[in-house]
Amino acid sequence: MRTYRIGGALAEASRTAAFGVVGGSYLVAGLGAALTWQLAGSQHPLTSALYADLVATLLVFAASMVLANASVYDPYWSVAPPLVLVGWIVATEDGIALRQFLVTALVTVWALRLTANWARGWSGLRHEDWRYRQLRAQTRGRLPWWLVNLAGIQLMPTLVVFAGLLSGWPAVAGNRAFGPLDVLAVLVTVAAIGLEAVADGQLRRFAADPANRGRICDRGLWRYSRHPNYLGEIAFWWGLWLFGLAADPTWWWTVIGPLTVLTLFVGATIPLMERRSVDRRPGYAAHRREVPMLLPRPPVRRRIPD
């Protein structure tokens, strides 16, 4: 196909050029989302944001097909949320300014760190996530790749993140006075961002040491949880829900957002990562018995034979 020839040619582009191509693709997606938002201006801000989010996803999907690289979508998880929140703040005439500032600031910090973490590990257009390559191989001959890419890799995460963001609307539009639940929301969200950042940094330093090749990371936070970075990501969305609950308790039902994120990680992301680790790292099965999947506990002491 012509798209794959284009993607193959660009795969050899420099890392800087690759970021330029992806940045240009996201700029086009952003313009498409902004236009959609304007055209849907008579709708509720939640509906307008959903339409804009879907249009942006479709445009990023188109770019991923032209470039023959599904990982073009990867930063979308963290790029979209702060933009949606800003749109909602502009659209509302209510809300508590302090809460709006804190929610937007924390989501922006989370987004910048997560996007930077992706950029640090992305080597260019020749780099595609191993999970996508595996999915392509597993579905080849059974389903068209464009459908797998759109539905499984791009559209599904967009809807999961949007579900997580539902509580962001009452968080910025609700006018209940700033109170203790907001303080708890700040503490949970800051702790979640910090946990994820520290865990990612520890894993990056561990993997960078050639002496650790093929070994299991069981240092620092990874000694107490097999996936402390994912625990931080899950906790972040619970923090956002607490902000929404503090601002307007009638929106309690937006708890479906963090529950959806939790289901994604526990039901799909973590099992896939763990199956790969079992296959590639000797001793990982024993590691699973000794270290909990998410919630930390004191490490199990290995019994020393007499």
Side-chain angles (χ1 to χ4, degrees):
M1 292 178 63
R2 179 178 178 81
T3 55
Y4 285 93
R5 288 200 294 271
I6 294 174
L10 287 174
E12 301 307 317
S14 70
R15 190 165 181 264
T16 301
F19 278 118
V21 171
V22 172
S25 301
Y26 274 66
L27 178 60
V28 171
L31 291 174
L35 177 60
T36 303
W37 184 288
Q38 290 298 320
L39 293 175
S42 61
Q43 304 289 325
H44 188 281
L46 279 177
T47 305
S48 299
L50 177 59
Y51 290 160
D53 205 7
L54 292 175
V55 167
T57 298
L58 290 173
L59 291 171
V60 172
F61 159 72
S64 77
M65 291 300 295
V66 170
L67 298 171
N69 190 323
S71 280
V72 170
Y73 176 83
D74 287 350
Y76 193 85
W77 177 285
S78 53
V79 168
L83 300 178
V84 173
L85 278 180
V86 170
W88 282 341
I89 290 175
V90 172
T92 182
E93 297 178 357
D94 298 317
I96 303 299
L98 176 58
R99 185 183 293 119
Q100 290 179 341
F101 170 77
L102 288 172
V103 171
T104 307
L106 289 170
V107 171
T108 300
V109 169
W110 164 84
L112 290 174
R113 194 213 66 82
L114 200 58
T115 305
N117 193 61
W118 164 81
R120 187 181 289 112
W122 193 63
S123 58
L125 288 170
R126 61 185 174 277
H127 178 175
E128 187 176 43
D129 192 291
W130 64 268
R131 290 166 290 191
Y132 306 159
R133 297 196 302 270
Q134 177 178 299
L135 188 59
R136 184 187 285 110
Q138 291 174 342
T139 58
R140 183 175 289 118
R142 294 189 294 137
L143 290 171
W145 172 242
W146 70 265
L147 180 60
V148 175
N149 185 12
L150 174 61
I153 295 176
Q154 309 203 25
L155 188 58
M156 185 270 291
T158 288
L159 294 176
V160 168
V161 170
F162 192 82
L165 268 178
L166 286 174
S167 54
W169 167 252
V172 299
N175 53 18
R176 192 180 187 192
F178 194 90
L181 193 54
D182 290 285
V183 175
L184 177 61
V186 171
L187 294 176
V188 170
T189 308
V190 169
I193 295 171
L195 174 62
E196 194 170 9
V198 171
D200 281 342
Q202 290 175 343
L203 181 61
R204 186 166 53 251
R205 289 189 294 273
F206 181 88
D209 187 346
N212 294 326
R213 186 178 299 275
R215 296 179 59 189
I216 301 165
C217 183
D218 57 358
R219 303 174 185 175
L221 294 173
W222 300 83
R223 186 184 180 198
Y224 304 98
S225 170
R226 298 199 304 273
H227 304 281
N229 53 342
Y230 292 158
L231 176 60
E233 180 67 16
I234 292 166
F236 169 81
W237 295 100
W238 283 101
L240 184 60
W241 176 72
L242 287 173
F243 271 118
L245 190 65
D248 188 343
T250 64
W251 285 75
W252 63 267
W253 57 268
T254 57
V255 71
I256 62 175
L259 286 175
T260 300
V261 173
L262 176 64
T263 301
L264 172 68
F265 278 97
V266 174
T269 302
I270 292 176
L272 185 61
M273 296 289 290
E274 299 226 315
R275 284 195 295 270
R276 188 173 192 247
S277 295
V278 168
D279 293 339
R280 293 165 59 94
R281 291 179 171 82
Y284 194 81
H287 179 70
R288 292 175 66 180
R289 292 192 294 270
E290 296 169 0
V291 180
M293 180 175 68
L294 285 172
L295 296 177
R297 67 167 184 250
V300 176
R301 293 185 177 180
R302 298 182 182 181
R303 184 176 180 180
I304 301 175
D306 296 333

PDB file of all heavy atoms in Angstrom, residues 131 195-196 199-200 222 226-236 261 265 269-270 273 293-294:
ATOM      1  N   ARG A 131       3.684  -4.188  21.815  1.00  0.00           N
ATOM      2  CA  ARG A 131       2.321  -4.712  21.931  1.00  0.00           C
ATOM      3  C   ARG A 131       1.546  -4.539  20.635  1.00  0.00           C
ATOM      4  O   ARG A 131       0.708  -5.378  20.288  1.00  0.00           O
ATOM      5  CB  ARG A 131       1.602  -4.011  23.080  1.00  0.00           C
ATOM      6  CG  ARG A 131       2.118  -4.391  24.452  1.00  0.00           C
ATOM      7  CD  ARG A 131       1.641  -3.466  25.540  1.00  0.00           C
ATOM      8  NE  ARG A 131       2.263  -2.145  25.422  1.00  0.00           N
ATOM      9  CZ  ARG A 131       2.181  -1.209  26.356  1.00  0.00           C
ATOM     10  NH1 ARG A 131       1.496  -1.454  27.470  1.00  0.00           N
ATOM     11  NH2 ARG A 131       2.768  -0.038  26.185  1.00  0.00           N
ATOM     12  N   LEU A 195       4.405   9.377  42.718  1.00  0.00           N
ATOM     13  CA  LEU A 195       4.643   7.938  42.696  1.00  0.00           C
ATOM     14  C   LEU A 195       4.993   7.458  41.295  1.00  0.00           C
ATOM     15  O   LEU A 195       5.961   6.712  41.097  1.00  0.00           O
ATOM     16  CB  LEU A 195       3.390   7.211  43.208  1.00  0.00           C
ATOM     17  CG  LEU A 195       3.396   5.684  43.123  1.00  0.00           C
ATOM     18  CD1 LEU A 195       4.511   5.105  43.981  1.00  0.00           C
ATOM     19  CD2 LEU A 195       2.038   5.126  43.560  1.00  0.00           C
ATOM     20  N   GLU A 196       4.231   7.919  40.323  1.00  0.00           N
ATOM     21  CA  GLU A 196       4.477   7.504  38.945  1.00  0.00           C
ATOM     22  C   GLU A 196       5.820   8.016  38.450  1.00  0.00           C
ATOM     23  O   GLU A 196       6.568   7.302  37.775  1.00  0.00           O
ATOM     24  CB  GLU A 196       3.344   8.010  38.052  1.00  0.00           C
ATOM     25  CG  GLU A 196       3.313   7.382  36.680  1.00  0.00           C
ATOM     26  CD  GLU A 196       2.052   7.726  35.903  1.00  0.00           C
ATOM     27  OE1 GLU A 196       1.275   8.599  36.372  1.00  0.00           O
ATOM     28  OE2 GLU A 196       1.839   7.138  34.842  1.00  0.00           O
ATOM     29  N   ALA A 199       8.704   6.033  40.206  1.00  0.00           N
ATOM     30  CA  ALA A 199       8.757   4.666  39.695  1.00  0.00           C
ATOM     31  C   ALA A 199       9.338   4.626  38.286  1.00  0.00           C
ATOM     32  O   ALA A 199      10.186   3.775  37.974  1.00  0.00           O
ATOM     33  CB  ALA A 199       7.362   4.046  39.719  1.00  0.00           C
ATOM     34  N   ASP A 200       8.900   5.534  37.425  1.00  0.00           N
ATOM     35  CA  ASP A 200       9.431   5.571  36.062  1.00  0.00           C
ATOM     36  C   ASP A 200      10.929   5.871  36.064  1.00  0.00           C
ATOM     37  O   ASP A 200      11.698   5.291  35.300  1.00  0.00           O
ATOM     38  CB  ASP A 200       8.689   6.626  35.232  1.00  0.00           C
ATOM     39  CG  ASP A 200       7.333   6.146  34.741  1.00  0.00           C
ATOM     40  OD1 ASP A 200       7.108   4.924  34.732  1.00  0.00           O
ATOM     41  OD2 ASP A 200       6.498   6.993  34.378  1.00  0.00           O
ATOM     42  N   TRP A 222       9.800  -0.627  43.282  1.00  0.00           N
ATOM     43  CA  TRP A 222       9.548  -1.892  42.603  1.00  0.00           C
ATOM     44  C   TRP A 222       9.777  -3.091  43.523  1.00  0.00           C
ATOM     45  O   TRP A 222       9.436  -4.217  43.158  1.00  0.00           O
ATOM     46  CB  TRP A 222      10.416  -1.988  41.356  1.00  0.00           C
ATOM     47  CG  TRP A 222      10.130  -0.891  40.395  1.00  0.00           C
ATOM     48  CD1 TRP A 222      10.634   0.378  40.412  1.00  0.00           C
ATOM     49  CD2 TRP A 222       9.243  -0.942  39.277  1.00  0.00           C
ATOM     50  NE1 TRP A 222      10.116   1.125  39.377  1.00  0.00           N
ATOM     51  CE2 TRP A 222       9.267   0.335  38.661  1.00  0.00           C
ATOM     52  CE3 TRP A 222       8.440  -1.945  38.726  1.00  0.00           C
ATOM     53  CZ2 TRP A 222       8.510   0.638  37.534  1.00  0.00           C
ATOM     54  CZ3 TRP A 222       7.692  -1.653  37.596  1.00  0.00           C
ATOM     55  CH2 TRP A 222       7.731  -0.376  37.014  1.00  0.00           C
ATOM     56  N   ARG A 226       4.794  -4.675  41.925  1.00  0.00           N
ATOM     57  CA  ARG A 226       5.318  -5.049  40.605  1.00  0.00           C
ATOM     58  C   ARG A 226       5.085  -3.958  39.577  1.00  0.00           C
ATOM     59  O   ARG A 226       5.781  -3.898  38.563  1.00  0.00           O
ATOM     60  CB  ARG A 226       4.665  -6.358  40.122  1.00  0.00           C
ATOM     61  CG  ARG A 226       4.934  -7.555  40.990  1.00  0.00           C
ATOM     62  CD  ARG A 226       4.697  -8.870  40.280  1.00  0.00           C
ATOM     63  NE  ARG A 226       3.383  -9.036  39.720  1.00  0.00           N
ATOM     64  CZ  ARG A 226       2.320  -9.519  40.374  1.00  0.00           C
ATOM     65  NH1 ARG A 226       2.425  -9.839  41.663  1.00  0.00           N
ATOM     66  NH2 ARG A 226       1.151  -9.681  39.779  1.00  0.00           N
ATOM     67  N   HIS A 227       4.098  -3.080  39.819  1.00  0.00           N
ATOM     68  CA  HIS A 227       3.773  -2.024  38.857  1.00  0.00           C
ATOM     69  C   HIS A 227       3.461  -0.715  39.589  1.00  0.00           C
ATOM     70  O   HIS A 227       2.343  -0.193  39.490  1.00  0.00           O
ATOM     71  CB  HIS A 227       2.594  -2.446  37.982  1.00  0.00           C
ATOM     72  CG  HIS A 227       2.809  -3.735  37.255  1.00  0.00           C
ATOM     73  ND1 HIS A 227       3.564  -3.817  36.106  1.00  0.00           N
ATOM     74  CD2 HIS A 227       2.399  -4.999  37.542  1.00  0.00           C
ATOM     75  CE1 HIS A 227       3.598  -5.073  35.692  1.00  0.00           C
ATOM     76  NE2 HIS A 227       2.901  -5.813  36.543  1.00  0.00           N
ATOM     77  N   PRO A 228       4.427  -0.148  40.302  1.00  0.00           N
ATOM     78  CA  PRO A 228       4.147   1.099  41.030  1.00  0.00           C
ATOM     79  C   PRO A 228       3.826   2.262  40.109  1.00  0.00           C
ATOM     80  O   PRO A 228       3.091   3.178  40.501  1.00  0.00           O
ATOM     81  CB  PRO A 228       5.448   1.343  41.810  1.00  0.00           C
ATOM     82  CG  PRO A 228       6.504   0.627  41.025  1.00  0.00           C
ATOM     83  CD  PRO A 228       5.813  -0.586  40.472  1.00  0.00           C
ATOM     84  N   ASN A 229       4.354   2.256  38.868  1.00  0.00           N
ATOM     85  CA  ASN A 229       4.025   3.323  37.926  1.00  0.00           C
ATOM     86  C   ASN A 229       2.545   3.263  37.543  1.00  0.00           C
ATOM     87  O   ASN A 229       1.873   4.293  37.454  1.00  0.00           O
ATOM     88  CB  ASN A 229       4.922   3.259  36.688  1.00  0.00           C
ATOM     89  CG  ASN A 229       4.912   1.889  36.028  1.00  0.00           C
ATOM     90  OD1 ASN A 229       4.517   0.876  36.631  1.00  0.00           O
ATOM     91  ND2 ASN A 229       5.357   1.828  34.784  1.00  0.00           N
ATOM     92  N   TYR A 230       2.023   2.066  37.328  1.00  0.00           N
ATOM     93  CA  TYR A 230       0.611   1.934  36.998  1.00  0.00           C
ATOM     94  C   TYR A 230      -0.262   2.270  38.210  1.00  0.00           C
ATOM     95  O   TYR A 230      -1.362   2.814  38.061  1.00  0.00           O
ATOM     96  CB  TYR A 230       0.305   0.515  36.514  1.00  0.00           C
ATOM     97  CG  TYR A 230       0.929   0.178  35.178  1.00  0.00           C
ATOM     98  CD1 TYR A 230       1.149  -1.146  34.804  1.00  0.00           C
ATOM     99  CD2 TYR A 230       1.297   1.177  34.283  1.00  0.00           C
ATOM    100  CE1 TYR A 230       1.714  -1.460  33.574  1.00  0.00           C
ATOM    101  CE2 TYR A 230       1.867   0.863  33.056  1.00  0.00           C
ATOM    102  CZ  TYR A 230       2.074  -0.456  32.712  1.00  0.00           C
ATOM    103  OH  TYR A 230       2.634  -0.771  31.492  1.00  0.00           O
ATOM    104  N   LEU A 231       0.212   1.935  39.404  1.00  0.00           N
ATOM    105  CA  LEU A 231      -0.527   2.308  40.609  1.00  0.00           C
ATOM    106  C   LEU A 231      -0.665   3.821  40.685  1.00  0.00           C
ATOM    107  O   LEU A 231      -1.738   4.347  41.016  1.00  0.00           O
ATOM    108  CB  LEU A 231       0.200   1.776  41.846  1.00  0.00           C
ATOM    109  CG  LEU A 231      -0.411   2.161  43.202  1.00  0.00           C
ATOM    110  CD1 LEU A 231      -1.838   1.656  43.329  1.00  0.00           C
ATOM    111  CD2 LEU A 231       0.449   1.619  44.342  1.00  0.00           C
ATOM    112  N   GLY A 232       0.411   4.541  40.362  1.00  0.00           N
ATOM    113  CA  GLY A 232       0.342   5.998  40.346  1.00  0.00           C
ATOM    114  C   GLY A 232      -0.633   6.514  39.307  1.00  0.00           C
ATOM    115  O   GLY A 232      -1.401   7.457  39.571  1.00  0.00           O
ATOM    116  N   GLU A 233      -0.630   5.893  38.127  1.00  0.00           N
ATOM    117  CA  GLU A 233      -1.551   6.326  37.069  1.00  0.00           C
ATOM    118  C   GLU A 233      -3.001   6.106  37.477  1.00  0.00           C
ATOM    119  O   GLU A 233      -3.863   6.970  37.272  1.00  0.00           O
ATOM    120  CB  GLU A 233      -1.242   5.562  35.771  1.00  0.00           C
ATOM    121  CG  GLU A 233      -2.114   5.920  34.590  1.00  0.00           C
ATOM    122  CD  GLU A 233      -1.894   7.337  34.086  1.00  0.00           C
ATOM    123  OE1 GLU A 233      -0.862   7.956  34.432  1.00  0.00           O
ATOM    124  OE2 GLU A 233      -2.749   7.826  33.325  1.00  0.00           O
ATOM    125  N   ILE A 234      -3.295   4.969  38.053  1.00  0.00           N
ATOM    126  CA  ILE A 234      -4.656   4.679  38.503  1.00  0.00           C
ATOM    127  C   ILE A 234      -5.084   5.654  39.595  1.00  0.00           C
ATOM    128  O   ILE A 234      -6.204   6.193  39.574  1.00  0.00           O
ATOM    129  CB  ILE A 234      -4.742   3.223  39.015  1.00  0.00           C
ATOM    130  CG1 ILE A 234      -4.563   2.248  37.844  1.00  0.00           C
ATOM    131  CG2 ILE A 234      -6.071   2.976  39.724  1.00  0.00           C
ATOM    132  CD1 ILE A 234      -4.306   0.814  38.277  1.00  0.00           C
ATOM    133  N   ALA A 235      -4.184   5.918  40.552  1.00  0.00           N
ATOM    134  CA  ALA A 235      -4.508   6.826  41.653  1.00  0.00           C
ATOM    135  C   ALA A 235      -4.752   8.249  41.157  1.00  0.00           C
ATOM    136  O   ALA A 235      -5.567   8.982  41.741  1.00  0.00           O
ATOM    137  CB  ALA A 235      -3.373   6.812  42.685  1.00  0.00           C
ATOM    138  N   PHE A 236      -4.070   8.645  40.092  1.00  0.00           N
ATOM    139  CA  PHE A 236      -4.272   9.986  39.539  1.00  0.00           C
ATOM    140  C   PHE A 236      -5.734  10.208  39.160  1.00  0.00           C
ATOM    141  O   PHE A 236      -6.318  11.258  39.455  1.00  0.00           O
ATOM    142  CB  PHE A 236      -3.376  10.177  38.310  1.00  0.00           C
ATOM    143  CG  PHE A 236      -3.694  11.408  37.514  1.00  0.00           C
ATOM    144  CD1 PHE A 236      -3.229  12.646  37.907  1.00  0.00           C
ATOM    145  CD2 PHE A 236      -4.491  11.331  36.366  1.00  0.00           C
ATOM    146  CE1 PHE A 236      -3.547  13.794  37.181  1.00  0.00           C
ATOM    147  CE2 PHE A 236      -4.813  12.457  35.639  1.00  0.00           C
ATOM    148  CZ  PHE A 236      -4.340  13.697  36.045  1.00  0.00           C
ATOM    149  N   VAL A 261     -10.590   3.073  34.138  1.00  0.00           N
ATOM    150  CA  VAL A 261      -9.130   3.069  34.048  1.00  0.00           C
ATOM    151  C   VAL A 261      -8.559   1.876  34.803  1.00  0.00           C
ATOM    152  O   VAL A 261      -7.663   1.172  34.321  1.00  0.00           O
ATOM    153  CB  VAL A 261      -8.547   4.389  34.593  1.00  0.00           C
ATOM    154  CG1 VAL A 261      -7.025   4.314  34.658  1.00  0.00           C
ATOM    155  CG2 VAL A 261      -8.984   5.565  33.724  1.00  0.00           C
ATOM    156  N   PHE A 265      -6.239  -1.341  33.242  1.00  0.00           N
ATOM    157  CA  PHE A 265      -4.907  -1.746  33.690  1.00  0.00           C
ATOM    158  C   PHE A 265      -4.900  -3.160  34.263  1.00  0.00           C
ATOM    159  O   PHE A 265      -4.031  -3.966  33.938  1.00  0.00           O
ATOM    160  CB  PHE A 265      -4.365  -0.749  34.716  1.00  0.00           C
ATOM    161  CG  PHE A 265      -3.761   0.466  34.090  1.00  0.00           C
ATOM    162  CD1 PHE A 265      -4.499   1.637  33.955  1.00  0.00           C
ATOM    163  CD2 PHE A 265      -2.467   0.455  33.615  1.00  0.00           C
ATOM    164  CE1 PHE A 265      -3.944   2.763  33.361  1.00  0.00           C
ATOM    165  CE2 PHE A 265      -1.905   1.579  33.013  1.00  0.00           C
ATOM    166  CZ  PHE A 265      -2.642   2.734  32.893  1.00  0.00           C
ATOM    167  N   THR A 269      -3.791  -4.296  30.449  1.00  0.00           N
ATOM    168  CA  THR A 269      -2.415  -3.817  30.351  1.00  0.00           C
ATOM    169  C   THR A 269      -1.445  -4.644  31.196  1.00  0.00           C
ATOM    170  O   THR A 269      -0.416  -5.130  30.700  1.00  0.00           O
ATOM    171  CB  THR A 269      -2.336  -2.338  30.784  1.00  0.00           C
ATOM    172  OG1 THR A 269      -3.205  -1.566  29.962  1.00  0.00           O
ATOM    173  CG2 THR A 269      -0.913  -1.813  30.635  1.00  0.00           C
ATOM    174  N   ILE A 270      -1.752  -4.828  32.464  1.00  0.00           N
ATOM    175  CA  ILE A 270      -0.847  -5.550  33.354  1.00  0.00           C
ATOM    176  C   ILE A 270      -0.724  -7.018  32.978  1.00  0.00           C
ATOM    177  O   ILE A 270       0.402  -7.550  32.906  1.00  0.00           O
ATOM    178  CB  ILE A 270      -1.270  -5.363  34.824  1.00  0.00           C
ATOM    179  CG1 ILE A 270      -1.038  -3.903  35.242  1.00  0.00           C
ATOM    180  CG2 ILE A 270      -0.512  -6.313  35.741  1.00  0.00           C
ATOM    181  CD1 ILE A 270      -1.503  -3.571  36.646  1.00  0.00           C
ATOM    182  N   MET A 273       1.659  -7.298  30.045  1.00  0.00           N
ATOM    183  CA  MET A 273       3.034  -7.051  30.439  1.00  0.00           C
ATOM    184  C   MET A 273       3.607  -8.233  31.211  1.00  0.00           C
ATOM    185  O   MET A 273       4.767  -8.619  31.029  1.00  0.00           O
ATOM    186  CB  MET A 273       3.101  -5.787  31.296  1.00  0.00           C
ATOM    187  CG  MET A 273       2.714  -4.511  30.584  1.00  0.00           C
ATOM    188  SD  MET A 273       3.929  -3.986  29.366  1.00  0.00           S
ATOM    189  CE  MET A 273       5.270  -3.486  30.428  1.00  0.00           C
ATOM    190  N   MET A 293       0.877  -7.148  42.972  1.00  0.00           N
ATOM    191  CA  MET A 293       0.742  -6.550  41.650  1.00  0.00           C
ATOM    192  C   MET A 293       0.706  -5.024  41.727  1.00  0.00           C
ATOM    193  O   MET A 293       1.416  -4.335  40.981  1.00  0.00           O
ATOM    194  CB  MET A 293      -0.533  -7.057  40.967  1.00  0.00           C
ATOM    195  CG  MET A 293      -0.762  -6.492  39.582  1.00  0.00           C
ATOM    196  SD  MET A 293      -2.196  -7.215  38.768  1.00  0.00           S
ATOM    197  CE  MET A 293      -3.530  -6.557  39.764  1.00  0.00           C
ATOM    198  N   LEU A 294      -0.091  -4.471  42.634  1.00  0.00           N
ATOM    199  CA  LEU A 294      -0.245  -3.019  42.716  1.00  0.00           C
ATOM    200  C   LEU A 294      -0.036  -2.493  44.126  1.00  0.00           C
ATOM    201  O   LEU A 294       0.945  -1.812  44.397  1.00  0.00           O
ATOM    202  CB  LEU A 294      -1.625  -2.603  42.189  1.00  0.00           C
ATOM    203  CG  LEU A 294      -1.833  -2.634  40.678  1.00  0.00           C
ATOM    204  CD1 LEU A 294      -3.296  -2.377  40.331  1.00  0.00           C
ATOM    205  CD2 LEU A 294      -0.936  -1.615  39.984  1.00  0.00           C
TER     206      LEU A 294
END
